[in-house]
Amino acid sequence: MSRVAEEVLGAEGVSFSYGPAPALSNVSLSVAKGECLAILGANGSGKSTLLKLLDGLIFPSAGCVFFEGRPITEEALKGEFLVRLRSGLGFLFPEPDVQLFCPTVFDELAFGPLQLGLGAEEAAKRAGDLLRMLGIEALRDRPPYSLSGGEKKKVAIASVLAINPGVLLLDEPTNGLDPRSQVWLYELLLSLRGHGKTVIIATHDLSLAGDLSERVLVLDESHAVAADGPAGEILKDKGLLLKANIIHEHEHRHGDVVHRHSHGPFSTHDEHD
Amino acid sequence: MHIPDGYLSPATCGVFYAAMAPVWYFASKRAEKVLKLREMPLLALGAAFVFVIMMFNIPLPGGSSGHMAGGAVVAIALGPWAGIIAMSLALALQAFLFGDGGIMTLAANCFNMAVIMSLSGYGIYRALAFGEPGAGRRFFAAAVAAYVAVNLAALAVAVELGMQPLLAAGADGRPLYAPYPLSIAVPAMMIPHLFFFGPVEAVGTALVVSYVHWMDRGLLHKGKGSLKPLWIALSVLAVLTPAGLIASGTPWGEWGKDELMELIGYVPAGMEKYGETWKGFVPDYSLPRMSGLPEPVIYMLSALLGSALLVAAVYAWGRLWRR
Amino acid sequence: MAEVILPEWLKGREEAPASLRAGSAGFIERSLVNFASTMKRLYVDGDYSSKKGALQAIEPRAKLAGFFFIIIAASLAHSAVFLGGVLVLAFALSFVSRIGPGPLAKRTFPAFVFTSVIVIPVIFGAVTPGREVLDVFGASVTGEGLRSAGFFLVRVAAMVSTAMLLSLTTREADFFRGLGRFVPSFFATALFLTFRYAFVLIKTAEDSALAMKARTIAGARAVESRTWFAGRAALLLKKAYGVAEEVGMAMVSRGFDGKLKGAAARALRGRDYIWLGFASFVLFLSFGA
C-alpha cells in the first residue's frame, strides 16, 4: 500500500508483545503533517507501546511503522535517516525522572541539540531561550532530582522542545500536573499546534483529548484499535468509551437520590439525567 | 570491607590501578557488546541497585542484623562482566561522594569486591546451580556462592593489609601504612567474615536470588555463553598480581617516588648526579648559588620550581588545545 | 458495573486486642536511618557546594587534579609533620570555602574513629616492641607503638579529610564533568547515572520500608522480615531494569547514539592555575618528606 503524501507517521498492521501476552495487536493508523491526534485507552491498553513504536525505540513483531513514508526498521534506522528521525520526533516520557538524566537543568536542555551536532553555542542559546520561555531561569544550575514534580515535568517538556521536533509524541503529558500547570501545558500545546507542529498524545484525560485534538483513536483492552475518527463523534459515543474502559459508571449521591451515570475523569456534572 | 585511604602504600594502590585498568576496559567492552551500548543505563541501574542493597539491614536468624557487600548478588543478577562494572561504579560512587573507601584505594577495593567477589560468586553459583535446579538447590547454591565469595574478598583485603608492613617501612622500621602483619590481619579480617558477615551475605543473596527467580526468572542473568574468558582473565590476574608485587623490587616506598617522577617526565635527561632525589629537581647550573642554603630551603625552592613548571605546562597545553 | 459490597466487619470500628503490645522491627529502623542519612547528605552537600567560597569557584578539571595531587602527596609522604600539615591545610581550606571545620570534621569522623579502634593494639609492646612509657593493667605501652599508631592516624585523617573536602565543595554536576576529562566518558556518564538513579531507588526502598513500618504493630518475626527484605530487593531489581530500559529509550529518543557530546569546558583562569600550582607544590614537597 502506498503511503499518503502528507503522512508523517504511519503504522500498518502493527503487533508487539513483551512476553506471551500481546501489548498491541494489528494496529494501523496514519498521521498527517500538522494534525493533532489523541490516543485514548485504559491502563495497559498499549498506548505507550504504540508511541514507542512510532518513535523507533522498539520495533514491531509484525507489521511496519513508517516515518515520512520510509519504514522504520532496526536496519534502516541508521545514518542520515536516524538523524532525520531523531531530530524530527520528540518523545515525552510519562515519568519525568526517567527523562531527566543529566547533571543540571541546563545540561538537560542542551543534551538533545548537542547530540544532534548543533554545536555548543546553538545548544546554549536554545537552552537559554527555553528557560526564559518557561520562566525557570532560576533552576538553570539545579540538579533535576532536586526539583518539584511540576518543575521536573516542565524541564522534561523543554528538553524535548530543545531539538525543535516537527512531531511531538507525548505520553500522559498531564500526569502529575496540578490544575494550573495543566492549563499552562494546554496553552503551550495549542500554540505549538498553531505553528504547524504535529502532536500525538497518549492519554486517558478526556478533556485534554477533546479540547486539543480534532481526531481520536481508541485502543480497547484487546490492544486493538476500537475506533478512529473525529474527536467530536467519538467522545460522544458513551458505549464505545465504556467498552474500552476509559470512562466508568460512577455512584453519586445528590441529596437522598443515588443514581448512576457515566463519568470520565474530567467530565462535568451537567450530563445528569 | 572498604579499605580507606592511608591504609595501603601508594605503590600497592598503583599496582591495583594497573591491574584494574584492563579489567575495566575489557569488562566495559564486553558489557557493551552483550548489552548493546544503548543499554548502558542498565549498568548504572545495576550499580544503583547494589548501592541501595548495601544500605539494607538484613535480619539474621538469632536476632542480629548486618549489611551485605552485594558483589555476588549483582553478578548473579547481571552476569559477571556487567557485575564487575556495576560493582565498580557503586564503589566509586561511595568513595568519591560518601567517603566509604578511599580514592587511592579504589582500585584495590574494586579488585576485592568487584572482581574477586563477583567472579567467584558467579562462578560458584553457576557450578552449583547447573541444569534446572529446584528451589532448594538454587537457594543453597546462592548461599554457598555468596558465603565463599565474601570470604575470598575478605581474605584478599587481609592479605593486602597484612603485606603493608613488609612493603613499606620508615627508616626506623616503623610501619608507614596499615600496621599489622599477615599473622594479625588475616585472623582479624577472617573471623568476623567467617562467622558474621559471611552468613549475612549468604542469607541476603540466597533470599534475593530465590525471590527474584520466583517472581520473574527473566530478571536473572541467563548464564549462556562460555565461562572460559572469565577463568582465563582470573588466572592471568592471579598470576600477574603477586608477580607485579614482587617484580617491582624491595624498597616500596621509593618505587612510588621514582615512578611518579618518571611519569611526570620531570627528571632532566642525562642527569648523572641523580643520587640525591631532590637535586634532580633543580637543574645543575642553578645549584651553586643555592648550595649555601639550608637543605629544607632547597627542598622548598625545588618544589616551587617544579610546580611553576607544571602550571606553565598546563597553561601551554590549554592554549594549544583550544588553538 | 458490579456493585462493591463491603464485608460487615469493615463497616464497624476495630478495637486493638488488649493483649497486643507495640513492638518494632529494629532492622527496618536501621535501614530507614541509612536511607534518610544518605538522602539528607545529598541535599546538605548541595548547599555547601553552592556557597560562594574560594574552592567552589575553581574549574572542575583543575580542582579534581589539584585534589588528586594532594591526596597522592599525603599517600607518599613519610613525615608526620608533612601529614599534619596536609590535615591543617584541609581544615584551613574549609574556612576559605565557607564550610567551616564542623561539617568537614563530621565527614572525617567515621574513618577516624574506625581507624582509632583498629590501631589500639599497635601501641602495646606485644605488637610494637620498644621502650615502655606506660603500664595499662600489666600490658606495656611503648613509645614506638604510640608513634606508629599516631602516624597512621594522622595519615588517614589527612587523606580522608582532603577527599571529603573535595566532595563537600564540588557540585555533583561539576564533579562528573571534571571526572569525564580524566577517565573515559563511558565511565563518567555511567557513574553519574548510577548516582542519579541510586536516589530514585533509595526513595523506593525508603517508601517500602516506611510502608512496612506503618503496618508493623507488634514487631515483625524474623522469617517475615527476611521475606520482606527479599521481596523489596526483588522489587528494586525489577524497578532497576524497568527504569534502565526507559532511561535508555529516553536517551536514544533525544539523539544519543553511544557517544556523549559534552558542552565545552570553560577555559582555565588565573585562580585555577594558582590552585594547580599550589597543589602540585604540595605534591612535589611530599617527594622529600
Side-chain angles (χ1 to χ4, degrees), chain C residues 40-41 44 48 91 101-111 164:
Chain C
K40 188 175 156 221
R41 183 134 166 202
V44 173
Y48 290 126
F91 278 88
L104 183 59
K106 216 168 124 193
R107 299 298 150 90
T108 313
F109 200 60
M164 288 296 94

Side-chain angles (χ1 to χ4, degrees), chain A residues 151-163:
Chain A
E151 290 169 337
K152 277 184 194 170
K153 196 82 183 184
K154 277 191 176 180
V155 176
I157 292 170
S159 75
V160 174
L161 294 178
I163 52 176

Side-chain angles (χ1 to χ4, degrees), chain C residues 26-164:
Chain C
F27 75 99
I28 290 187
E29 294 294 339
R30 283 192 287 276
S31 301
L32 273 172
V33 168
N34 288 336
F35 300 145
S37 69
T38 310
M39 296 293 269
K40 188 175 156 221
R41 183 134 166 202
L42 177 77
Y43 289 106
V44 173
D45 274 5
D47 290 349
Y48 290 126
S49 56
S50 50
K51 286 209 164 111
K52 297 217 176 311
L55 283 178
Q56 286 90 332
I58 294 170
E59 203 273 343
R61 277 173 301 172
K63 178 145 83 176
L64 246 70
F67 268 100
F68 290 157
F69 284 162
I70 299 177
I71 289 172
I72 293 171
S75 177
L76 286 171
H78 289 193
S79 139
V81 177
F82 181 86
L83 290 171
V86 173
L87 186 59
V88 170
L89 173 69
F91 278 88
L93 287 173
S94 78
F95 285 104
V96 184
S97 52
R98 303 195 185 182
I99 288 170
L104 183 59
K106 216 168 124 193
R107 299 298 150 90
T108 313
F109 200 60
F112 186 78
V113 171
F114 175 76
T115 308
S116 308
V117 173
I118 281 199
V119 90
I120 288 172
V122 171
I123 63 177
F124 294 107
V127 176
T128 317
R131 191 174 47 83
E132 181 178 324
V133 290
L134 202 69
D135 191 287
V136 185
F137 306 116
S140 68
V141 172
T142 62
E144 284 77 359
L146 280 175
R147 271 183 52 212
S148 292
F151 179 76
F152 184 49
L153 259 179
V154 175
R155 187 195 297 280
V156 171
M159 291 183 78
V160 173
S161 58
T162 306
M164 288 296 94

Side-chain angles (χ1 to χ4, degrees), chain A residues 31-48:
Chain A
V31 183
K33 192 162 179 293
E35 200 179 5
C36 184
L37 168 73
I39 301 172
L40 283 177
N43 289 339
S45 61
K47 300 185 300 278
S48 300

Side-chain angles (χ1 to χ4, degrees), chain B residues 137-229:
Chain B
R137 183 150 65 89
R138 181 172 303 106
F139 190 93
F140 174 76
V144 172
Y147 183 82
V148 176
V150 77
N151 277 293
L152 282 177
L155 185 63
V157 174
V159 170
E160 286 150 25
L161 294 176
M163 279 169 76
Q164 295 310 309
L166 302 175
L167 297 174
D172 49 358
R174 82 196 139 87
L176 288 170
Y177 302 95
Y180 297 107
L182 282 168
S183 58
I184 297 177
V186 172
M189 267 313 274
M190 293 319 290
I191 289 167
H193 279 89
L194 286 169
F195 295 105
F196 180 72
F197 294 108
V200 169
E201 199 75 28
V203 167
T205 305
L207 281 171
V208 175
V209 170
S210 304
Y211 199 100
V212 170
H213 189 269
W214 170 76
M215 182 181 76
D216 182 355
R217 64 190 60 198
L219 292 181
L220 291 180
H221 184 70
K222 299 293 174 299
K224 267 185 258 151
S226 157
L227 289 179
K228 218 163 123 199

Side-chain angles (χ1 to χ4, degrees), chain C residues 208-267:
Chain C
S208 44
L210 283 172
M212 178 67 173
K213 188 181 167 187
R215 281 185 304 164
T216 304
I217 299 165
R221 283 187 305 145
V223 179
E224 287 164 6
S225 315
R226 283 194 290 276
T227 314
W228 175 83
F229 161 74
R232 289 317 92 185
L235 172 84
L236 282 175
L237 186 64
K238 199 177 165 74
K239 176 149 185 168
Y241 275 100
V243 173
E245 200 184 329
E246 294 261 293
V247 171
M249 285 186 183
M251 293 176 80
V252 167
S253 85
R254 276 156 68 193
F256 176 66
D257 58 355
K259 278 194 193 69
L260 280 170
K261 301 182 181 78
R266 84 165 162 78

Side-chain angles (χ1 to χ4, degrees), chain B:
Chain B
M1 183 87 74
H2 296 58
I3 305 175
D5 268 334
Y7 280 57
L8 298 182
S9 75
T12 314
C13 298
V15 167
F16 279 107
Y17 269 104
M20 282 309 292
V23 176
W24 281 325
Y25 179 78
F26 185 56
S28 72
K29 282 287 153 219
R30 200 179 154 88
E32 277 176 20
K33 219 166 69 188
V34 176
L35 299 169
K36 287 199 242 160
L37 194 65
R38 59 189 262 172
E39 288 168 38
M40 180 240 260
L42 183 62
L43 295 176
L45 264 300
F49 168 72
V50 208
F51 186 85
V52 179
I53 278 289
M54 285 191 248
M55 295 164 66
F56 267 103
N57 243 275
I58 299 162
L60 275 187
S64 55
S65 67
H67 299 275
M68 58 196 283
V73 71
V74 74
I76 294 171
L78 300 181
W81 295 107
I84 289 178
I85 295 283
M87 199 65 199
S88 299
L89 288 171
L91 290 170
L93 195 63
Q94 289 179 321
F96 282 123
L97 297 176
F98 295 94
D100 290 337
I103 292 175
M104 292 287 286
T105 54
L106 176 61
N109 283 326
C110 286
F111 180 79
N112 302 331
M113 273 183 278
V115 176
I116 292 193
M117 195 170 172
S118 293
L119 291 191
S120 62
Y122 182 82
I124 295 165
Y125 176 75
R126 280 278 142 228
L128 292 178
F130 61 90
E132 283 293 321
R137 183 150 65 89
R138 181 172 303 106
F139 190 93
F140 174 76
V144 172
Y147 183 82
V148 176
V150 77
N151 277 293
L152 282 177
L155 185 63
V157 174
V159 170
E160 286 150 25
L161 294 176
M163 279 169 76
Q164 295 310 309
L166 302 175
L167 297 174
D172 49 358
R174 82 196 139 87
L176 288 170
Y177 302 95
Y180 297 107
L182 282 168
S183 58
I184 297 177
V186 172
M189 267 313 274
M190 293 319 290
I191 289 167
H193 279 89
L194 286 169
F195 295 105
F196 180 72
F197 294 108
V200 169
E201 199 75 28
V203 167
T205 305
L207 281 171
V208 175
V209 170
S210 304
Y211 199 100
V212 170
H213 189 269
W214 170 76
M215 182 181 76
D216 182 355
R217 64 190 60 198
L219 292 181
L220 291 180
H221 184 70
K222 299 293 174 299
K224 267 185 258 151
S226 157
L227 289 179
K228 218 163 123 199
L230 192 153
W231 294 120
I232 293 172
L234 252 189
S235 14
V236 168
L237 267 177
V239 173
L240 275 185
T241 309
L245 292 175
I246 294 157
S248 37
T250 24
W252 273 60
E254 305 305 306
W255 180 85
K257 288 184 220 165
D258 297 351
E259 195 70 2
L260 250 157
M261 282 190 294
E262 264 170 47
L263 266 176
I264 295 164
Y266 214 72
V267 188
M271 281 291 271
E272 253 87 69
K273 294 189 214 162
Y274 181 54
E276 237 278 73
T277 319
W278 273 97
K279 285 181 184 153
F281 281 88
V282 186
D284 256 350
Y285 46 81
S286 63
L287 264 179
R289 263 192 291 149
M290 284 186 210
S291 51
L293 295 170
E295 213 164 289
V297 177
I298 295 185
Y299 281 1
M300 288 283 203
L301 287 175
S302 326
L304 212 54
L305 184 63
S307 48
L309 281 173
L310 184 132
V311 169
V314 172
Y315 181 77
W317 189 42
R319 279 292 142 120
L320 292 174
W321 199 250
R322 286 185 293 129
R323 288 169 308 272

